[in-house]
Amino acid sequence: MPELTQAERDNRPYLLYHTDGCHLCELAAALLDAADIGYRAIDICDDEYLAQRYGVSIPVLKAWDDRELHWPFNATQLQEFTGA
């Protein structure tokens, strides 16, 4: 995975591991968008390691300090995780 600059980290401090066509992933992205939380969507199908690690647990929101929030989560849990 390419390194992000500090500005990119500040603007998108979270990664959302997902895959296309996953309705739960779409729900998670909608929660993030509604809360105006910046994130970078990473399709786990593009990476064998990520597919093996997260294949049965997506969507997963990962912070830059390596904390992870696994689905299912709601707006309150998202707010607690992000501090937003």
Side-chain angles (χ1 to χ4, degrees):
M1 181 180 318
E3 269 305 303
L4 296 180
T5 66
Q6 186 61 45
E8 289 173 315
R9 285 187 182 135
D10 291 343
N11 291 330
R12 295 180 298 180
Y14 299 97
L15 299 176
L16 178 64
Y17 293 123
H18 75 101
T19 193
D20 288 340
C22 167
H23 74 282
L24 298 177
C25 300
E26 292 168 3
L27 292 173
L31 278 174
L32 288 161
D33 292 340
D36 198 27
I37 295 170
Y39 65 95
R40 181 176 168 208
I42 304 290
D43 190 330
I44 65 167
C45 290
D46 295 335
D47 184 297
E48 185 176 327
Y49 170 77
L50 294 177
Q52 287 184 3
R53 179 173 171 113
Y54 297 110
V56 296
S57 60
I58 56 169
V60 174
L61 186 63
K62 184 172 184 176
W64 288 105
D65 61 5
D66 288 331
R67 292 176 301 122
E68 295 180 344
L69 181 62
H70 292 253
W71 190 263
F73 52 85
N74 59 33
T76 301
Q77 292 165 316
L78 182 59
Q79 182 179 19
E80 290 171 357
F81 181 76
T82 62

